[in-house]
Amino acid sequence: MAPIKAEDFITSIADSLQYISYYHPVDFVRAMTQAYEREKSGAARDAIGQILINSRMCALGKRPICQDTGIVTVFVKLGMNCRFEGDLTIQQLVDEGVTRAYGDPSNPLRKSIVADPAGSRINTKTNAPAVVHVEMVPGDAVEVQIAAKGGGSENKSKMAMLTPADSIVDWVKKTVPAMGAGWCPPGILGIGIGGTIDKAMCLAKQSLMDPIDIDELRARGPANRLEELRLQIFDEVNALGIGAQGLGGLTTVLDVKILDYPTHAASLPVAMIPNCAAARHTHFTLDGSGPAVFTPPSLDEWPQIAGDDSGDARQVNLDGISKEEIASWKAGDTLLLSGKILTGRDAAHRRIQQLLDAGQPLPEGVDFNGRFIYYVGPVDPVGDEVVGPAGPTTSTRMDKYTAMMLGKTGLYGMIGKAERGDATIELIKRHGAVYLMAVGGAAYLVAKAITASRVVAFADLGMEAIYEFEVKDMPVTVAVDAAGEAVHKTGPTFWQQEIAKLRS
């Protein structure tokens, strides 16, 4: 076998990351289309529709499916007889590929990786280093499985050291609702069983690399205990009624993947990692004959879904909006927002808190009085774009700042994804404020509603800076209204009951 050239490996890593940034796996598109066609919840169906519209737009425009272009994870199976040219390590080769992919001027990807995680948390500016797992196997080639995992879904990973007598199904049923909707369901659950707890986590992550095949499994019937467990967990999780984006509906998971490993007689380690609506992963093999080639899927795989059906959506002008108008919105209402909004994520909120605690004014241009904040960290624009893909980040992380923002800045409302905590819902009710939800996994679609963008503060924070966006008909759902009603509570409760009726 010819040695593998370092440049071929680096190029393959970079090309694969660009490829998965804008092409969903075809199996995912098909599964989401089936979920869209059978969904009976209007809110969930609309959310799935937005994800599919966004997916097709990204495939056409070659722009990121989600603004969170992820932390790179690579599983390398290295043949015992495989040889590389040069003296760079596998980690160095992967990191160079990551750096090239995320810095590609034709499709720059958001750099989200910070060093000194327990301290200064300074952005590495390259999205490297990647998390690399290397396994030696027989043969003279190298097989690579690569994924770019968003923080919203990665943060929902769970693990437990069960006893051998415990039920894995019961643990999953109890744990999935506690994960909330920040992982942007519907997606795939990866489960690892056995080994040690660190091995179980690796198994769970690696299982997410497998294609969606739950329908084929059900059609032919399970051949072993793990396949029985997959079907059982799949049915039990969907019966929870959580639905797309946590709004309540028939489909919460598209598939359940499980890998296991022998374990100690006294132990039952279990890990669960959800894959989000971006579902970015692919694999390739190098044998010394050149870099990997990635063939684009046919656009015929995507359904044609009308993107301009606003139904009963209410047009809202945010400029000069009153608390009285906000009070008229009800949980579950669909709004089309126009006007100016400010953005802010974790780092910006910390800076605001530091300034307020020190009795200092906020930077010029940062006035939240009577305004809305959008929890987002956008991708850099290219060409004539005003802004790159700019979907919402998980709002729950900003719960700790909500009392400050509503009580000290005059903020009227917040826009993000997923649910809010009980204490935050009470704060929203007390202040007569509102929380609106944009669809996670529809970042490019959301960006098309942004007509102007400028950085107004904390430019050194990069994607976490405060921007001012001007939006036109930005679609959102009222997730928590001024009376404190929350769709992430009422929706799943209703659909859990409806699903029970359908199955009785």
Side-chain angles (χ1 to χ4, degrees):
M1 166 194 165
I4 295 172
K5 295 179 180 177
E7 184 61 27
D8 288 347
F9 189 93
I10 292 168
T11 297
S12 299
I13 292 290
D15 289 351
S16 68
L17 290 168
Q18 279 286 313
Y19 181 88
I20 65 177
S21 77
Y22 44 74
Y23 287 132
H24 266 131
V26 169
D27 59 281
F28 179 87
V29 174
R30 292 171 179 167
M32 283 291 278
T33 301
Q34 291 172 3
Y36 175 78
E37 291 171 347
R38 65 173 171 254
E39 186 56 69
K40 297 184 182 300
S41 162
R45 180 180 166 86
D46 178 66
I48 297 171
Q50 287 191 46
I51 291 169
L52 285 168
I53 292 168
N54 179 78
S55 177
R56 192 173 193 278
M57 289 172 60
C58 294
L60 282 165
K62 292 183 170 54
R63 293 294 275 140
I65 293 164
C66 179
Q67 80 287 340
D68 183 351
T69 48
I71 182 169
V72 177
T73 300
V74 183
F75 290 92
V76 178
K77 291 186 177 181
L78 184 62
M80 294 289 289
N81 299 320
C82 182
R83 294 186 297 117
F84 280 82
E85 284 187 352
D87 56 3
L88 294 179
T89 66
I90 296 292
Q91 181 75 52
Q92 290 170 325
L93 292 168
V94 169
D95 288 346
E96 176 58 26
V98 170
T99 300
R100 291 188 192 180
Y102 281 73
D104 188 331
S106 68
N107 181 40
L109 307 180
R110 199 184 79 182
K111 304 170 184 70
S112 303
I113 305 307
V114 295
D116 188 19
S120 59
R121 298 181 67 84
I122 300 299
N123 198 295
T124 65
K125 304 300 176 76
T126 63
N127 219 62
V131 177
V132 181
H133 305 273
V134 180
E135 178 186 0
M136 300 298 293
V137 298
D140 53 9
V142 57
E143 181 183 342
V144 176
Q145 294 179 314
I146 190 166
K149 191 75 159 49
S153 59
E154 188 69 5
N155 289 349
K156 300 302 180 180
S157 303
K158 302 294 181 182
M159 64 175 72
M161 290 300 293
L162 304 181
T163 71
D166 289 332
S167 165
I168 294 172
V169 175
D170 287 347
W171 177 78
V172 172
K173 285 173 58 180
K174 177 182 71 175
T175 303
V176 169
M179 287 162 47
W183 58 284
C184 291
I188 300 100
L189 288 182
I191 297 175
I193 303 171
T196 52
I197 198 61
D198 54 314
K199 179 65 174 180
M201 291 301 294
C202 282
L203 291 169
K205 180 65 67 66
Q206 194 163 15
S207 74
L208 292 171
M209 304 288 187
D210 292 338
I212 296 172
D213 66 350
I214 198 74
D215 288 340
E216 293 91 330
L217 170 57
R218 190 182 299 280
R220 66 170 167 80
N224 52 52
R225 174 57 187 146
L226 281 190
E227 291 187 345
E228 292 175 358
L229 195 58
R230 284 180 59 195
L231 288 171
Q232 188 176 1
I233 292 174
F234 177 81
D235 290 338
E236 293 287 355
V237 171
N238 281 326
L240 294 171
I242 294 168
Q245 303 290 301
L247 295 170
L250 301 182
T251 303
T252 301
V253 290
L254 302 171
D255 202 344
V256 174
K257 318 304 287 190
I258 304 177
L259 292 176
D260 70 351
Y261 196 84
T263 192
H264 191 284
S267 303
L268 182 57
V270 182
M272 179 166 60
I273 304 177
N275 218 353
C276 66
R280 292 173 295 241
H281 65 91
T282 192
H283 72 272
F284 59 88
T285 300
L286 300 179
D287 59 8
S289 60
V293 176
F294 301 93
T295 304
S298 169
L299 287 174
D300 292 339
E301 294 288 353
W302 277 263
Q304 293 287 348
I305 298 173
D308 58 356
D309 182 13
S310 56
D312 297 325
R314 182 189 302 194
Q315 297 276 350
V316 172
N317 183 359
L318 292 177
D319 297 334
I321 197 166
S322 67
K323 281 285 186 77
E324 288 73 23
E325 181 175 355
I326 290 172
S328 72
W329 303 345
K330 301 302 179 186
D333 285 354
T334 300
L335 311 178
L336 296 175
L337 306 181
S338 296
K340 293 180 179 179
I341 57 178
L342 293 171
T343 76
R345 286 169 47 102
D346 313 63
H349 280 79
R350 280 196 298 274
R351 291 270 181 95
I352 292 168
Q353 184 176 54
Q354 290 165 358
L355 290 171
L356 293 178
D357 288 349
Q360 298 178 11
L362 298 182
E364 184 178 352
V366 180
D367 182 1
F368 292 105
N369 191 49
R371 301 186 71 180
F372 279 66
I373 189 169
Y374 181 29
Y375 303 142
V376 63
V379 176
D380 291 339
V382 297
D384 60 357
E385 289 181 346
V386 169
V387 68
T393 196
T394 306
S395 302
T396 318
R397 300 199 313 276
M398 267 52 76
D399 278 5
K400 64 184 292 186
Y401 301 107
T402 304
M404 171 189 74
M405 295 299 292
L406 294 181
K408 296 183 179 181
T409 72
L411 187 72
Y412 273 14
M414 300 151 283
I415 308 167
K417 74 171 184 180
E419 72 287 342
R420 307 307 296 263
D422 290 342
T424 299
I425 293 172
E426 183 58 36
L427 284 167
I428 291 170
K429 179 180 179 181
R430 186 187 312 162
H431 288 275
V434 68
Y435 167 56
L436 310 176
M437 190 207 81
V439 172
Y444 197 34
L445 179 63
V446 171
K448 295 303 181 184
I450 302 170
T451 60
S453 169
R454 67 186 181 98
V455 175
V456 295
F458 311 147
D460 61 297
L461 295 179
M463 63 93 176
E464 292 211 70
I466 295 180
Y467 293 75
E468 183 181 68
F469 288 165
E470 187 159 354
V471 300
K472 175 67 174 175
D473 293 339
M474 176 180 173
V476 296
T477 299
V478 179
V480 181
D481 63 24
E485 183 172 346
V487 295
H488 288 100
K489 291 180 177 292
T490 58
T493 298
F494 174 81
W495 280 100
Q496 185 174 7
Q497 295 169 349
E498 290 299 298
I499 292 168
K501 293 176 186 175
L502 290 170
R503 295 185 176 185
S504 62

